[in-house]
Amino acid sequence: MEVQLTPFIMLDGGAREAIAFYEQALDAKVVFKQTFGEAPGEAGQAVPEHARDRLAHSVLKIGGTDLFVADTDPGVRFAQGKQVNICVTVADKEQARKYYKALKEGGQVDLPLQEIHFSPAYGMVTDKFGVTFQIFTKRA
């Protein structure tokens, strides 16, 4: 697998509205959608009732391009100006570690690189230029 870069729009409860807008404005087709309430819970992390309907992830297809849209995680402070970030998809954990380590130099760790229910190595980092990257490793 080659490395894939995908634009990722993060919102604070407005993901559903944004998706409906992009369906109209850009002829987007929703190919995947999951709420926080539908996602498998992490150990000790229950989703608050008020956040269960927020979108944890969605994939829109616009022409031949994917666009990811989601709401921020419950309890994570929404940062205005960071609505659009880049998801770097890789095939293995070593490549994920390499990119994560390089991007965090002079930057800031937003989420440590770790195993999570949808990825063996996932993390978020904002580089020294203020660009936020999500590092996502596909399951084999």
Side-chain angles (χ1 to χ4, degrees):
M1 174 195 161
E2 294 183 25
V3 175
Q4 179 181 341
L5 301 179
T6 307
F8 200 129
I9 298 173
M10 297 292 295
L11 298 168
D12 189 20
R16 288 180 194 279
E17 182 181 352
I19 289 169
F21 176 75
Y22 299 135
E23 285 177 308
Q24 291 294 315
L26 301 173
D27 295 323
K29 305 290 183 234
V30 178
V31 296
F32 177 80
K33 190 164 44 172
Q34 183 178 59
T35 66
F36 283 101
E38 294 168 335
E42 300 297 324
Q45 294 181 342
V47 177
E49 190 61 38
H50 72 276
R52 295 184 60 76
D53 287 335
R54 289 172 71 97
L55 285 181
H57 190 58
S58 69
V59 179
L60 282 62
K61 188 66 96 175
I62 303 169
T65 303
D66 287 344
L67 174 65
F68 297 163
V69 180
D71 289 312
T72 53
D73 289 355
V76 173
R77 190 175 71 81
F78 179 73
Q80 191 71 29
K82 286 193 169 190
Q83 290 92 327
V84 179
N85 52 68
I86 299 169
C87 183
V88 180
T89 302
V90 297
D92 64 76
K93 292 191 275 188
E94 275 311 306
Q95 194 174 24
R97 280 192 272 279
K98 175 185 169 193
Y99 288 165
Y100 187 84
K101 182 180 177 185
L103 288 167
K104 76 177 186 175
E105 281 299 314
Q108 128 187 350
V109 170
D110 299 313
L111 179 70
L113 190 67
Q114 61 191 303
E115 183 170 351
I116 195 160
H117 71 274
F118 56 83
S119 174
Y122 175 78
M124 291 179 70
V125 62
T126 299
D127 73 9
K128 63 185 175 183
F129 302 104
V131 178
T132 301
F133 290 87
Q134 296 184 39
I135 308 299
F136 169 72
T137 308
K138 284 191 166 193
R139 291 212 179 270

